[in-house]
Amino acid sequence: MSKRNLFLLLAMILIFSLILAACQTAPPPDPDTPGDVVAPQEPVVDDDPVDDVVIEPEPETPGARKVATFIWTQEFDNLNPLYTNMWFSSITQQIWNASAWNFDIDNNPNPVLVTEIPSLENGGISEDGRTITITLRDDIVWSDNSPITSADFVFTYEMVTSPSNIVTTSYPYSLIEDISAPDAQTVVTVFEEPFVPWAASLWQFVLPEHVLRPVFDADGSIDTADWNLAPTVSAGPFVFAEWESGSYTRFVRNENFYDEPAKIDEVFFRFVPDDASQVAALRTGDGDLGTFISTADIPTLEAAGVEVFAVVSGYDEGWFLYFGEEAHPALADVRVRQAIALCFDRQSINRDLLLGLTEPAVTFWDNTPYANPNLSAWPYDPAAGMALLDEAGWVDEDGNGIREKDGIELTLIHGTTAREIRQDTQAVAQQNLAECGIRLDTLSYAPDIYFQSYGGGGPLPTGELDIGQFSSTEAFPDPDTSRWLCSEIPSDEYPDGINDQKICDEELDALFRLQSTQIDFEERQQTLWQIGEIMYENVYWLGVWQDLDTWAVSSRLSNVNISGASPFYSIAEWDIIE
Amino acid sequence: MTRYIIRRILQSIPLLFIISLILFLLLNNIGDPLTMMGGRNPTRPDDRARLARQLGLDKPVTTQYLYWLIGNDWTMIDVDGDGIPDIPGERLGVLRGDFGTSIVTRGKPVSEIIWDRIPNTLLLMVPAQIFILLFGVIVGVYSALRQYSWVDNAVTTLSFVGFSMPIFLIALLSIYFFSVLFQRWGLPNLPANGMFDPRVGKTAGQVAKHMILPLFSIAFIDIARYSRYVRSAMLEVMSQDYIRTAKAKGLKRYYIIFIHAMRNALLPIVTLVGLDLPFLLAGAVVTERIFAWPGMGRLFLDHLQRADGPVVMGIVMILAVFVIFSQILTDIAYAALDPRIRY
């Protein structure tokens, strides 16, 4: 091969790459004026990408449209809520899709598609707590102007529970005994048993039957429906415009939105997986909003004029003590558990590592009405902790700095995920507990290994650890969880049980079962306060920090309100100040 | 030559088979895609069981490999979990060009996912490779011809800086300097990440502007690497007898350098280029991640993190084919450049 041929080969590779680059889909034309009606966009997956043109002339007036750029560290896996539990995708639903209700800044339910939140008083919840009846507004429409009716809700239920759809979770729809739509505005859902956490998990999305029914009828499944990756018909203040894999997703204002139209023209999600790069983009103004900001980056961002919010978004981060057969014998003694609480300086972790954004968690449900207000965090009091250990018979007889009893050293194994703040916490706890004569060996895991069930060999449920540390959302903002039920203790016969701690306190078990049937808010609140007290006194779970999400918002964005359960509940009211 | 190429291609078939088998077994042990599906919560047990059945992950690994290789359209599958096969499988298998569908995006064909990213990767990597070759050769040759001059010393120092810096550090430093600090100093700054500014649109100018920093980060280290190889090879060639003879015959300096010395000095570079060719498709994992460039490297990492076996296998197998292809290409280039080599 001559040099000329080599040169030609190189030139051809370059030309080929440029041609391929040009095959990428181009942004669809933007509406010229805010008042123009936007026709439903075609899906981004096109048949003939070569026809698309990527190289466009520079617009004459760049920046004239109000475009908000959100920096997401993870790309959506799917936009159809049936096929994703990914947080970054789920919270985006509030921008383009609509739920029957969402949650305001105080995490209280707020009607969206319904006329009012179901309750015992308005008849939306039956006396036995099994039937939930919702009444839809009569003015709600999809972005293509088709009415949203009860048929869409029934269709959503059918799709979630259809065995031919590979949905991520069928909860809570799999618990429904019967569903009916007596008229276009009414949906009646009957559960097999009283279902209290309905507000947090039911009708958080609805699918357009007129778009997806034909796909289901033709293919027998909606797994591969174009709508899943390009939901061009939706019900939120914005409507999907384009998704370029690995790069960005655009949503433009829904001009047919049944409520007050959004003030921003376009929300542009840029996928930036690297944290440092995300922070740089926020500092330079290339991004207007980011989340999961490391506390170490907060001062830098604030110095650059970026405002940082912290919102309650789930159950609190805490230590889950293990009580299975393989557990360290010291953990069976409540005095030792209380000593651990007293010797662990959680105040300094919140103050120094989390920059005072949070406080030590007292109950599993801090910052919600279900947190017992009469409790306060265990103080950092190593002297009191050591006295309790002495009382329990754990003393350092051989002078090696570690307490022992009956020849067994007080060495505990703590494991958590490899998240930086958790590893920093391990280091602090190790030092704190060592001062009280407790040795803490620490381990960290990849999340997919750490959160495995007993059957999957997860380190906590299999007894590899004495203490696990994590937070979860479960049914947030509802407090319901079956994590502490005796019947959920995993075993070889029941490997999927979720009581990873293998704890069985009959009083606690009875109270958890009771709260899951209590329709009356105040009665349920009292039960959960009682639960909180038992867990606190017995140190079955030790709160480390209140689970907060941090959001960085540029000064370009105004009127921003973010809630923990529905971060974008008021996105239509957000504006941009140039 | 033709027989040689055919022989090499035939040899690559069992090799690819072995690679696929080893990778499939490894991938089955690196993570659990179902655990990650729960989002912020662990996947519910009943959902886990259902998903494993629906996605075929409850089958023995050998069966999963067989389905991946030859498809499952010859057998019936159980959809509702009652133990009774309901419908025929739909997968055709890799041997019939079906890489399957992504577990993460659910239902999107792997080939489509990969194809979406290839143009972006080539757009970044081809110019980067051209820059690397061009500047690596120029700097290396110049440095060799001016051995121990201040230019050579400066180039040597810079090369070692380039060698010893990890790419993520160069990338982050370049963002901090050209993006953050330039903006603070009131200078025109370069964008920190992405392919274009959404307020302007995806124009040629925007894409070019957003390419500068990732291109610089990729090229910086490799220019240092290439220039050292070229310098060393040129120094060796320039001390050969035939170069001395050419000088004694009074040949012009540029003729000696470009016709006699460089052609021989560049032979080792062909090996380097041959080894680097697969990266044109593989992309730059770290650079693409930091600069949010939607290429193959990031695709691989994103799907590996979520244990998306079909996508990861698809990428790796395409790269394996490209590695074999680039090695054949390298051998052809050897023969073209060195008349002593015959196959």
Side-chain angles (χ1 to χ4, degrees):
Chain A
M1 189 182 286
S2 68
K3 275 193 286 186
R4 187 163 164 260
N5 287 345
L6 274 173
F7 175 76
L8 274 174
L9 183 67
L10 276 173
M12 280 172 65
I13 292 173
L14 179 63
I15 291 165
F16 183 62
S17 70
L18 290 172
I19 291 169
L20 288 175
C23 290
Q24 294 292 286
T25 48
D30 300 323
D32 295 323
T33 56
D36 288 348
V37 174
V38 182
Q41 306 284 337
E42 288 301 315
V44 72
V45 185
D46 50 4
D47 295 324
D48 190 4
V50 180
D51 290 344
D52 292 328
V53 178
V54 66
I55 309 299
E56 292 179 339
E58 296 273 349
E60 288 177 6
T61 53
R65 298 178 70 241
K66 290 181 176 177
V67 181
T69 304
F70 293 1
I71 307 288
W72 253 210
T73 50
Q74 289 175 32
E75 183 176 10
F76 310 131
D77 46 6
N78 201 303
L79 286 172
N80 185 332
L82 261 62
Y83 296 98
T84 181
N85 261 352
M86 182 189 206
W87 185 78
F88 281 97
S89 185
S90 300
I91 62 163
T92 313
Q93 306 280 330
Q94 297 140 26
I95 290 178
W96 60 271
N97 207 346
S99 49
W101 48 81
N102 58 22
F103 295 90
D104 64 17
I105 201 159
D106 299 316
N107 292 319
N108 292 318
N110 176 50
V112 179
L113 297 177
V114 293
T115 54
E116 56 184 346
I117 302 295
S119 66
L120 278 171
E121 292 71 32
N122 63 25
I125 304 174
S126 63
E127 288 293 333
D128 63 2
R130 289 178 58 221
T131 305
I132 312 287
T133 304
I134 58 170
T135 306
L136 302 177
R137 286 168 54 163
D138 57 9
D139 60 343
I140 48 178
V141 291
W142 295 103
S143 56
D144 62 356
N145 243 341
S146 306
I148 300 173
T149 67
S150 53
D152 292 309
F153 286 75
V154 175
F155 175 74
T156 301
Y157 163 77
E158 282 177 27
M159 292 300 99
V160 175
T161 54
S162 166
S164 56
N165 292 330
I166 311 176
V167 303
T168 301
T169 180
S170 56
Y171 176 86
Y173 300 90
S174 55
L175 308 176
I176 292 175
E177 186 179 274
D178 183 52
I179 185 165
S180 57
D183 59 59
Q185 262 72 51
T186 309
V187 184
V188 181
T189 313
V190 183
F191 284 87
E192 292 162 353
E193 292 175 9
F195 184 65
V196 176
W198 56 269
S201 49
L202 192 65
W203 305 132
Q204 288 304 294
F205 56 85
V206 59
L207 304 177
E209 184 185 23
H210 66 290
V211 175
L212 290 171
R213 172 73 77 186
V215 179
F216 186 74
D217 289 344
D219 300 344
S221 162
I222 58 168
D223 287 351
T224 55
D226 288 345
W227 192 87
N228 298 349
L229 303 176
T232 48
V233 175
S234 58
F238 293 87
V239 64
F240 173 86
E242 185 188 16
W243 180 357
E244 185 178 310
S245 169
S247 186
Y248 64 88
T249 305
R250 297 169 58 235
F251 295 91
V252 295
R253 181 171 44 226
N254 176 6
E255 302 296 349
N256 290 333
F257 189 45
Y258 50 84
D259 232 328
E260 206 52 40
K263 293 185 170 69
I264 297 173
D265 295 302
E266 176 179 328
V267 178
F268 181 93
F269 287 91
R270 170 168 286 153
F271 307 121
V272 181
D274 185 75
D275 291 341
S277 189
Q278 179 197 32
V279 170
L282 291 165
R283 287 175 74 182
T284 57
D286 289 338
D288 295 312
L289 181 136
T291 186
F292 279 132
I293 305 297
S294 161
T295 44
D297 291 321
I298 290 173
T300 315
L301 285 170
E302 287 179 336
V306 177
E307 194 174 353
V308 178
F309 290 91
V311 295
V312 184
S313 63
Y315 305 150
D316 297 317
E317 176 94 1
W319 281 13
F320 294 80
L321 280 66
Y322 183 72
F323 295 89
E325 285 175 5
E326 310 86 346
H328 194 288
L331 292 182
D333 191 330
V334 67
R335 291 168 297 184
V336 175
R337 301 198 297 269
Q338 289 175 344
I340 291 171
L342 290 163
C343 289
F344 180 19
D345 187 2
R346 295 164 301 142
Q347 283 77 6
S348 76
I349 284 172
N350 283 271
R351 187 181 59 242
D352 301 331
L353 297 182
L354 293 161
L355 306 179
L357 286 170
T358 66
E359 291 177 8
V362 182
T363 71
F364 201 55
W365 307 278
D366 276 12
N367 293 307
T368 75
Y370 306 105
N372 188 329
N374 303 317
L375 303 174
S376 56
W378 285 95
Y380 175 52
D381 189 348
M386 286 190 278
L388 277 172
L389 289 170
D390 289 339
E391 188 186 313
W394 291 90
V395 289
D396 181 15
E397 287 170 345
D398 56 12
N400 69 349
I402 305 168
R403 293 168 183 268
E404 53 266 324
K405 183 179 175 183
D406 301 331
I408 299 171
E409 282 197 336
L410 189 42
T411 300
L412 303 173
I413 304 171
H414 179 282
T416 186
T417 65
R419 195 174 148 198
E420 188 182 351
I421 184 69
R422 288 184 173 142
Q423 294 193 339
D424 291 345
T425 304
Q426 284 186 320
V428 172
Q430 200 170 41
Q431 191 176 343
N432 288 160
L433 296 189
E435 287 164 12
C436 286
I438 302 171
R439 178 173 153 173
L440 194 70
D441 289 339
T442 58
L443 295 170
S444 61
Y445 301 81
D448 63 326
I449 295 170
Y450 187 72
F451 290 112
Q452 282 283 3
S453 63
Y454 174 86
L460 186 59
T462 54
E464 201 175 301
L465 306 174
D466 296 308
I467 302 168
Q469 180 185 327
F470 55 92
S471 62
S472 66
T473 50
E474 298 180 49
F476 184 82
D478 190 275
D480 187 52
T481 174
S482 48
R483 179 175 292 283
W484 284 287
L485 296 182
C486 300
S487 58
E488 281 298 323
I489 292 178
S491 63
D492 292 339
E493 291 72 37
Y494 181 45
D496 291 328
I498 62 165
N499 185 339
D500 292 342
Q501 297 174 257
K502 295 189 177 175
I503 184 172
C504 185
D505 179 316
E506 285 175 8
E507 185 185 5
L508 195 68
D509 184 88
L511 288 168
F512 265 115
R513 288 184 187 281
L514 177 65
Q515 67 81 28
S516 70
T517 60
Q518 287 177 307
I519 309 298
D520 183 84
F521 170 79
E522 283 176 8
E523 283 178 10
R524 191 177 184 218
Q525 185 185 44
Q526 289 299 320
T527 307
L528 283 154
W529 286 5
Q530 207 179 335
I531 287 172
E533 195 171 334
I534 293 171
M535 287 173 64
Y536 176 88
E537 292 295 341
N538 289 285
V539 197
Y540 289 145
W541 174 88
L542 177 64
V544 182
W545 61 72
Q546 295 167 337
D547 192 53
L548 299 177
D549 283 344
T550 47
W551 292 83
V553 181
S554 83
S555 53
R556 284 182 76 232
L557 286 178
S558 70
N559 208 20
V560 174
N561 286 302
I562 296 175
S563 93
S566 311
F568 299 120
Y569 79 98
S570 68
I571 184 82
E573 295 162 17
W574 295 20
D575 205 350
I576 287 179
I577 309 164
E578 293 292 353
Chain B
M1 177 66 92
T2 310
R3 286 183 62 190
Y4 171 77
I5 294 170
I6 292 170
R7 196 169 67 240
R8 287 288 301 270
I9 291 170
L10 289 175
Q11 284 170 349
S12 66
I13 293 171
L15 182 65
L16 284 170
F17 176 75
I18 293 166
I19 291 172
S20 72
L21 187 62
I22 293 171
L23 287 172
F24 199 90
L25 293 174
L26 282 175
L27 269 175
N28 261 272
N29 291 292
I30 58 162
D32 174 20
L34 301 182
T35 303
M36 308 300 282
M37 280 187 190
R40 284 186 160 190
N41 293 313
T43 306
R44 303 177 75 86
D46 50 343
D47 288 328
R48 167 178 279 280
R50 178 181 50 76
L51 283 163
R53 186 184 69 250
Q54 289 177 319
L55 294 167
L57 300 174
D58 58 343
K59 299 266 188 303
V61 68
T62 45
T63 310
Q64 289 184 45
Y65 179 71
L66 199 66
Y67 286 179
W68 178 80
L69 194 68
I70 63 169
N72 65 356
D73 55 345
W74 46 274
T75 184
M76 301 287 283
I77 53 173
D78 174 20
V79 173
D80 50 16
D82 60 0
I84 303 165
D86 303 301
I87 56 168
E90 292 177 344
R91 290 165 60 180
L92 299 177
V94 172
L95 293 181
R96 286 184 280 171
D98 177 11
F99 282 87
T101 53
S102 164
I103 292 176
V104 167
T105 54
R106 204 94 88 257
K108 190 170 182 183
V110 170
S111 51
E112 198 178 302
I113 291 172
I114 294 174
W115 179 251
D116 279 351
R117 301 293 187 95
I118 287 178
N120 293 329
T121 287
L122 290 178
L123 185 65
L124 184 65
M125 297 306 289
V126 171
Q129 196 62 33
I130 291 170
F131 270 114
I132 291 162
L133 263 176
L134 200 67
F135 286 98
V137 170
I138 291 171
V139 171
V141 169
Y142 190 84
S143 197
L145 296 177
R146 302 267 190 289
Q147 194 184 11
Y148 304 133
S149 66
W150 72 268
V151 177
D152 182 35
N153 288 334
V155 165
T156 303
T157 309
L158 263 178
S159 301
F160 281 114
V161 169
F163 263 137
S164 45
M165 278 172 85
I167 195 161
F168 76 86
L169 189 62
I170 294 176
L172 291 174
L173 280 177
S174 63
I175 288 176
Y176 183 65
F177 192 75
F178 296 112
S179 193
V180 177
L181 287 184
F182 266 40
Q183 191 198 44
R184 190 184 295 171
W185 296 334
L187 297 168
N189 65 319
L190 288 168
N193 45 45
M195 281 184 88
F196 65 95
D197 181 343
R199 285 165 283 190
V200 180
K202 194 177 179 182
T203 64
Q206 278 291 313
V207 174
K209 191 176 170 186
H210 282 73
M211 270 176 69
I212 296 173
L213 287 184
L215 207 64
F216 168 76
S217 302
I218 294 170
F220 187 72
I221 290 175
D222 278 343
I223 287 173
R225 185 163 62 100
Y226 271 67
S227 69
R228 297 313 295 168
Y229 282 115
V230 173
R231 180 183 180 274
S232 164
M234 273 299 280
L235 283 174
E236 193 183 329
V237 169
M238 291 300 283
S239 64
Q240 296 289 314
D241 289 344
Y242 69 89
I243 297 291
R244 199 177 299 117
T245 307
K247 282 179 183 170
K249 283 171 74 179
L251 281 182
K252 288 188 175 166
R253 185 174 162 79
Y254 76 87
Y255 198 82
I256 295 169
I257 294 167
F258 291 106
I259 303 299
H260 292 286
M262 262 185 71
R263 180 162 180 173
N264 287 299
L266 291 185
L267 266 176
I269 302 305
V270 173
T271 312
L272 276 183
V273 173
L275 289 171
D276 284 350
L277 270 182
F279 288 103
L280 294 181
L281 265 192
V285 175
V286 176
T287 313
E288 287 179 3
R289 181 181 163 87
I290 290 175
F291 291 103
W293 191 268
M296 288 279 282
R298 226 181 100 195
L299 180 75
F300 178 77
L301 201 63
D302 287 351
H303 287 261
L304 185 68
Q305 283 171 341
R306 297 192 64 182
D308 192 352
V311 174
V312 176
M313 278 301 291
I315 294 171
V316 174
M317 288 315 295
I318 287 172
L319 291 182
V321 170
F322 203 59
V323 167
I324 290 168
F325 169 74
S326 61
Q327 288 309 303
I328 295 173
L329 209 64
T330 308
D331 289 346
I332 295 169
Y334 274 142
L337 290 172
D338 189 345
R340 291 170 300 180
I341 297 174
R342 288 286 175 269
Y343 298 111

